[in-house]
Amino acid sequence: MVQRPRRLALFAVLALVLPLAVTGQALADPNNNSPAKLTKAVTLDGVLRHLDAFQSIADTHGDRAAGRPGYRASVDYVVSQLSAAGFSPSVQTFDFPYVEDDSRLVRVSPVPRTFVRDTDFNRHGFDQPVEGTATGVIQPVDVVLPPTPAPNGNSSGCEAADFAGFVPGRVAMLQRGSCGFNVKVLNAQAAGAAAVILFNEGQPGRTGLVTPIGDVTGLTIPVVFATFAAAQELILSTPGALVTVVVDFTEETRQAWNVFAETRDGNANNVVMAGAHLDSVQDGPGINDNGSGSAALLETAVQMRKVKPNAKVRFAWWGAEEEGLLGSEHYVATLPQADRDRIALYLNFDMVGSPNHFYGIYDGDDSSGTAPVPIPPGSAQIEDVFEKFYADRGLPSEDTDFSGRSDYGPFIAVNIPAGGLFTGAEEVKTPAQAALYGGTAGVAFDPCYHQPCDDRSNLNLTALDVNADAIATAVITFAFDTSTVNGVRAPGKSHGRAPQGSAS
């Protein structure tokens, strides 16, 4: 599977100031060359030291999101730690479309409530940007509640006549239906609406958020889109509510960075990559998502610095994952085919300490039959290593969807075998999972997913400790022998696992 191309990829290197002091860093040992030795060296205290630094950065800057100061400080910290350990880290710069959204939907009275952006509502995506603030009484316009059995069963706001009796200065509530969103909002504006709340129609599959898009010439009032549930609450539970609609956002091009470090030793034609995204969402510290994976990977790299593996090991910390896997997409897209062919496999670690955790392994053999994308050959063998790790410790584990949702996605898209770990996000733990792993059924694996409360307290330390060892085990195993994945026989002694069959 893996070809042997002629030269290594070059990374653009950005000189960074290293503002954070390096303290308490354990010295790497050249004998950390087996799972037993490396897992002993990669301690929970070492991982938590990095997480404390990420929390301190978020406390100072508000978050660690790409395009913002907290992310730059996170990059600086990782570079400083790698440099102190003796690596020569490189930093790859890329531009990305930065969006900062401070839009709000607030019920002022009765029963004040601030609705959650990107959960209960979002701002419009019309071609003509419109920002603004309006406060007014809501007035539903020709809405149908409960909704019709079939979609597009109403024409709310589609005709100027729908607004007969509309009181100028109010906030029009318009239901998704038989005409375009642009028609609805322009009719509302012509009727004197101060703002518009569009909402989904209500049939199965038409209840969540949709971003209205299209060309709307002449729009001057703020527009947001709400879920069917949020709209029902406003219309049915608090009819005549006074609301404030705010559309406030910034869109511009900014820079983000990927950080890389490689072992000095190892076959440069047979590269084992391991990565984790370094950025948080905006307005959150991102300690579980994904300080946990970043910190565990960083401590693994620090403790492996003096190891002399058979394969070249390349560690990666990705930027702008929360904006759509942009850092890993950029890396893979700009990597010459010859250098892609050098990568034996990729390991991904995203959220490995969820407070209501399960032990999830990316389903490399698609035994659950849920993968929506082709899985590269060799991924099943990566899954086997993680399954054996948990089994050897007497711990349960289970498949988690190999959907391309995290930074392994760009790798499997170009047929690079991949695998990794995940302890759960917004999905709810089942009673069967609670029986296996402990925790609370009926509660999200991470109740603070993408929220400000994803802080240093939002971790299951047992899960984090176990998964730091799982990360170290997988990295060191493949550092010494990738033959189960790609048939490349390691030269010399294999410390990571027992010898396998001959190379193909």
Side-chain angles (χ1 to χ4, degrees):
M1 181 194 307
V2 173
Q3 305 298 314
R4 305 176 86 84
R6 292 169 297 208
R7 61 187 181 82
L8 286 171
L10 297 177
F11 302 110
V13 178
L14 175 69
L16 296 175
V17 177
L18 307 181
L20 297 176
V22 180
T23 58
Q25 181 165 277
L27 296 177
D29 188 330
N31 295 316
N32 290 343
N33 57 7
S34 71
K37 294 174 182 176
L38 186 59
T39 55
K40 185 176 180 180
V42 175
T43 65
L44 178 62
D45 285 345
V47 175
L48 291 176
R49 182 172 61 84
H50 303 309
L51 287 171
D52 286 338
F54 292 148
Q55 181 67 62
S56 178
I57 288 168
D59 290 343
T60 299
H61 298 288
D63 57 40
R64 300 186 306 104
R68 292 154 77 110
Y71 182 68
R72 175 60 183 260
S74 298
V75 168
D76 290 352
Y77 176 77
V78 171
V79 169
S80 74
Q81 295 295 294
L82 293 169
S83 298
F87 285 98
S88 298
S90 61
V91 179
Q92 183 183 44
T93 306
F94 61 95
D95 293 335
F96 77 103
Y98 174 82
V99 177
E100 183 174 318
D101 194 348
D102 293 316
S103 300
R104 298 185 298 282
L105 174 60
V106 179
R107 181 173 58 207
V108 179
S109 65
V111 192
R113 177 187 172 186
T114 299
F115 291 89
V116 179
R117 187 178 64 248
D118 297 327
T119 298
D120 300 316
F121 80 99
N122 57 16
R123 64 179 174 85
H124 70 79
F126 295 128
D127 292 342
Q128 182 188 50
V130 176
E131 296 183 89
T133 299
T135 298
V137 174
I138 62 169
Q139 184 168 343
V141 177
D142 199 23
V143 303
V144 179
L145 295 177
T148 58
N152 296 319
N154 74 84
S155 59
S156 169
C158 291
E159 305 291 340
D162 294 340
F163 292 87
F166 186 84
V167 179
R170 290 190 172 180
V171 174
M173 294 200 67
L174 307 177
Q175 189 172 14
R176 183 183 185 183
S178 59
C179 67
F181 293 128
N182 54 344
V183 175
K184 294 173 183 287
V185 298
L186 290 176
N187 283 339
Q189 180 173 285
V196 174
I197 301 173
L198 298 165
F199 65 94
N200 218 335
E201 193 170 7
Q203 297 89 1
R206 291 167 72 91
T207 59
L209 289 179
V210 174
T211 301
I213 58 174
D215 186 11
V216 183
T217 302
L219 183 65
T220 60
I221 60 175
V223 177
V224 297
F225 189 94
T227 64
F228 181 72
Q232 272 194 309
E233 178 177 336
L234 285 171
I235 295 171
L236 299 180
S237 299
T238 53
L242 182 69
V243 299
T244 295
V245 177
V246 179
V247 176
D248 179 12
F249 62 94
T250 299
E251 291 183 330
E252 61 190 22
T253 298
R254 292 191 181 180
Q255 287 186 332
W257 305 278
N258 296 324
V259 181
F260 300 97
E262 290 187 348
T263 55
R264 286 199 181 101
D265 295 286
N267 180 1
N269 291 316
N270 195 41
V271 177
V272 170
M273 285 199 70
H277 79 83
L278 185 56
D279 60 314
S280 73
V281 295
Q282 294 179 13
D283 303 321
I287 297 303
N288 184 42
D289 183 17
N290 182 40
S292 61
S294 291
L297 186 66
L298 180 56
E299 189 62 14
T300 298
V302 166
Q303 298 302 335
M304 276 187 64
R305 179 62 191 94
K306 293 186 178 181
V307 174
K308 296 182 177 181
N310 293 330
K312 178 78 71 176
V313 180
R314 182 179 302 150
F315 300 95
W317 290 264
W318 306 114
E321 187 270 355
E322 298 290 3
E323 305 303 318
L325 316 183
L326 299 185
S328 54
E329 287 275 13
H330 176 79
Y331 171 74
V332 173
T334 58
L335 198 63
Q337 185 60 51
D339 294 316
R340 291 181 188 175
D341 291 341
R342 273 196 157 108
I343 301 173
L345 58 98
Y346 173 71
L347 305 173
N348 192 72
F349 306 110
D350 189 355
M351 301 181 67
V352 296
S354 300
N356 197 29
H357 75 287
F358 72 103
Y359 291 125
I361 306 169
Y362 295 138
D363 188 11
D365 60 6
D366 197 25
S367 59
S368 60
T370 60
V373 293
I375 298 177
S379 301
Q381 286 68 35
I382 298 172
E383 183 184 8
D384 290 344
V385 169
F386 289 115
E387 288 177 340
K388 184 177 185 302
F389 168 84
Y390 291 116
D392 286 348
R393 294 204 173 188
L395 295 172
S397 64
E398 62 187 81
D399 293 340
T400 190
D401 287 350
F402 210 36
S403 60
R405 181 177 173 179
S406 191
D407 287 301
Y408 63 87
F411 288 87
I412 63 175
V414 295
N415 207 39
I416 294 172
L421 304 177
F422 176 60
T423 54
E426 75 276 26
E427 300 89 351
V428 171
K429 177 174 274 188
T430 67
Q433 288 172 320
L436 277 176
Y437 304 103
T440 306
V443 174
F445 297 113
D446 184 352
C448 288
Y449 175 65
H450 283 188
Q451 295 182 48
C453 58
D454 184 14
D455 57 21
R456 177 63 169 72
S457 67
N458 187 48
L459 294 166
N460 184 297
L461 297 185
T462 298
L464 181 63
D465 192 16
V466 167
N467 279 337
D469 286 350
I471 290 167
T473 295
V475 172
I476 200 69
T477 294
F478 291 116
F480 280 98
D481 191 355
T482 63
S483 62
T484 58
V485 174
N486 66 353
V488 175
R489 167 56 62 193
K493 184 177 180 182
S494 173
H495 298 278
R497 60 185 301 123
Q500 304 295 322
S502 60
S504 58

